[in-house]
Amino acid sequence: MPTPDPRAASSELKFRDPVRARAMVRALGRITDAIGRSPVSLMHVCGSHEQAIAKYGLRASFPAALRVIMGPGCPVCVTDAREVDEGVALALQGVHIATYGDMLRVPGSAMSLADARAEGAQVHVIYSAGQAVELAERVKEPVVFFATGFETTAVATAAIVLKGLPDNLSILSAHKFIPPAMDVVASVPGLAVEGFLAAGHAATITGWGVFEPFAERHHLPVVVAGFEPLDILAGLVRLLELVRDGTPAVVNMYPRCVTREGNLRAQAALWEVFEPSSGRWRGISVVPDGNLALRGRFAGLDARARFTIDVTPLARHAPPALAESCLCGSIMTGISSPTDCTLFGEACTPDHPVGACMVSTEGTCRIWHQYGGQPDLGDLA
Amino acid sequence: MCLGVPGKVIAIEGNCATVDFWGVRRQVLLDVVDEPVAVGDYVLNHVGYAIRRIPESEVGETLALFEELLAQDDAADLMAGDVRSEIAATGTVPDADA
């Protein structure tokens, strides 16, 4: 199969067009001026959006009055310390833990899974739910899949459950469902978010229709956007127009990947296996219906039912160093920026992370540390 | 992880497709893909599963971002790293060396 030349392919595409990019940057300024408030705060809820905004330096081109902040869009980061504690406790009890790589160094209330591994626990990094099945088939001993991620990733967990798990494999679900967290963040006093940019690929599963009740309830517009720099600029322009006009509509600016109803087959699998349950998100406290718990008929596969998970040994360990100074919680709700944190880039770095936001490649701190939050944008200036 | 990764279906056996990712052949599962998939289609994949058949007219636009990311050859880049993780999440083809 001939592989197209990437440079040739991308240079022809309309979203690479610098003229169009400049026009959109001017539109952002014009519409922000027309709104006449400062700041106008828009929130996105996706690590990949933040990566693209930071990587391509988009913030440098935003008008001064426009604030684009990242909310709880990093699934690893919002995994609660108590959920990490459950995984760590199981690992220290001698159970094999399989989990996505980003989870390894996320701090629990005392230890991370990497710390447990350093103490001799069996912690395995996997890239897919299917690899948890392969691991269980290989090791024969009890394996727990510490399953994290938003609805997009939970679909894969649902798929392996529906296919049938090996007897020695169970699931510790820390899966999260984004729309209820948007409800919580939209109500945070003082945050004053005026519109949400929703993540394209999560909406591939849920469909953009999932945001309509939210938009109506909070009287806030939602725009679904893709991950190209120009996809994001176009999404922000549309979102600002809706803010200016006071229209709490849901608009899909990513039709090449997102439909109104979404992927019905994936939704059927997701809701056959999981049900919404209220639980803690790191930094956000309790999110009503924000967790995805295994349904009762799958209780036999639920690690919380299969094992007595004893987190008391963790109380013997001191809390992670500097944890009390970490601003991760308020960074994840969009109240603070990484640069507001005294630890950022000093005591807290990707090599020596203090908080979850510096661990995950989708965490705001990690992304800002890599790319800078507001780098120059020479060719669009 | 939000990004997913697109690839071209080159063979299908049951619910398992062999997919080409820029010359690398891997296996993805079709259990939860939104529409029937045929050889020659492009699919968007996340953690080992195809989640969307990409309409033909939209393949070029969808591929471009990924091609730029992978062409940069920067091991530290977070977006490119997430795309590589998505490819690592797919299965190995049993007879890949045949």
Side-chain angles (χ1 to χ4, degrees):
Chain A
M1 190 194 69
T3 306
D5 177 353
R7 283 141 300 187
S10 53
S11 64
E12 291 167 8
L13 294 165
K14 60 178 181 290
F15 46 58
R16 305 248 154 232
D17 183 349
V19 175
R20 195 161 158 248
R22 279 190 209 99
M24 284 195 286
V25 166
R26 281 196 299 272
L28 287 177
R30 207 164 49 235
I31 305 165
T32 306
D33 286 347
I35 292 171
R37 290 186 293 276
S38 183
V40 177
S41 298
L42 306 179
M43 176 175 275
H44 71 80
V45 283
C46 171
S48 300
H49 272 160
E50 186 61 31
Q51 287 173 349
I53 288 169
K55 177 182 168 75
Y56 296 103
L58 300 187
R59 274 198 189 84
S61 68
F62 295 163
L66 175 63
R67 277 206 316 160
V68 178
I69 49 187
M70 174 166 167
C74 167
V76 168
C77 307
V78 298
T79 303
D80 193 55
R82 295 175 198 198
E83 293 170 314
V84 175
D85 287 351
E86 291 178 297
V88 168
L90 279 168
L92 294 176
Q93 284 169 234
V95 178
H96 289 263
I97 298 288
T99 195
Y100 295 115
D102 266 6
M103 282 309 300
L104 217 53
R105 294 197 297 164
V106 173
S109 58
M111 298 172 73
S112 66
L113 285 164
D115 296 332
R117 187 155 79 171
E119 295 199 1
Q122 297 286 335
V123 180
H124 308 260
V125 170
I126 54 169
Y127 292 92
S128 69
Q131 290 169 2
V133 175
E134 291 165 15
L135 175 74
E137 287 166 347
R138 203 166 59 240
V139 302
K140 314 285 189 209
E141 296 170 346
V143 176
V144 168
F145 173 29
F146 184 23
T148 60
F150 293 134
E151 49 268 31
T152 334
T153 311
V155 165
T157 308
I160 64 162
V161 166
L162 291 175
K163 201 177 273 183
L165 300 184
D167 290 342
N168 60 332
L169 179 61
S170 56
I171 310 280
L172 179 65
S173 173
H175 283 305
K176 307 271 185 273
F177 188 46
I178 276 268
M182 288 170 59
D183 274 316
V184 171
V185 175
S187 311
V188 169
L191 195 54
V193 171
E194 300 194 45
F196 278 83
L197 199 68
H201 289 166
T204 300
I205 301 285
T206 58
W208 58 262
V210 77
F211 300 114
E212 287 182 311
F214 168 87
E216 203 169 309
R217 213 163 32 241
H218 296 278
H219 208 74
L220 289 174
V222 178
V223 169
V224 177
F227 303 96
E228 284 281 344
L230 293 198
D231 282 339
I232 293 173
L233 287 175
L236 290 172
V237 168
R238 191 73 189 92
L239 190 54
L240 274 181
E241 287 172 347
L242 295 169
V243 170
R244 178 196 59 197
D245 301 340
T247 310
V250 181
V251 173
N252 179 20
M253 296 288 283
Y254 199 39
R256 66 179 186 265
C257 277
V258 179
T259 61
R260 180 182 193 135
E261 67 278 6
N263 179 338
L264 296 173
R265 204 166 155 209
Q267 289 169 37
L270 178 69
W271 298 119
E272 186 178 347
V273 171
F274 291 105
E275 60 188 352
S277 102
S278 300
R280 294 175 62 90
W281 289 39
R282 189 188 298 258
I284 307 176
S285 193
V286 172
V287 177
D289 288 340
N291 281 12
L292 295 171
L294 287 171
R295 287 187 184 274
R297 62 176 272 228
F298 298 105
L301 306 176
D302 192 336
R304 294 184 176 101
R306 193 178 287 190
F307 298 95
T308 303
I309 304 177
D310 181 11
V311 297
T312 52
L314 298 174
R316 291 200 295 270
H317 295 261
L322 303 171
E324 72 285 351
S325 314
C326 173
L327 288 189
C328 234
S330 59
I331 288 168
M332 269 181 295
T333 40
I335 295 166
S336 301
S337 293
T339 44
D340 296 330
C341 181
T342 54
L343 306 179
F344 177 73
E346 303 289 337
C348 181
T349 62
D351 286 337
H352 299 283
V354 175
C357 298
M358 187 60 92
V359 173
S360 172
T361 57
E362 294 177 287
T364 320
C365 296
R366 176 73 186 278
I367 295 167
W368 282 40
H369 192 269
Q370 175 93 6
Y371 300 119
Q374 300 208 5
D376 289 334
L377 192 66
D379 60 343
L380 285 182
Chain B
M1 273 173 108
C2 197
L3 217 46
V5 61
K8 184 178 188 179
V9 176
I10 54 175
I12 296 175
E13 202 176 304
N15 72 336
C16 185
T18 302
V19 172
D20 181 286
F21 297 101
W22 296 278
V24 179
R25 291 184 173 198
R26 304 280 294 180
Q27 288 194 326
V28 305
L29 296 167
L30 301 174
D31 302 41
V32 293
V33 71
D34 58 340
E35 286 177 39
V37 168
V39 169
D41 285 344
Y42 279 80
V43 284
L44 183 69
N45 308 282
H46 177 56
V47 289
Y49 286 84
I51 57 170
R52 176 169 164 84
R53 186 182 74 85
I54 304 169
E56 200 178 338
S57 57
E58 296 160 6
V59 166
E61 284 195 323
T62 306
L63 289 180
L65 169 67
F66 295 88
E67 293 180 345
E68 185 192 290
L69 288 173
L70 295 171
Q72 284 172 345
D73 197 26
D74 175 1
D77 186 75
L78 301 182
M79 294 185 89
D82 282 356
V83 174
R84 287 192 201 96
S85 292
E86 287 283 15
I87 295 175
T90 59
T92 50
V93 179
D95 58 351
D97 299 326

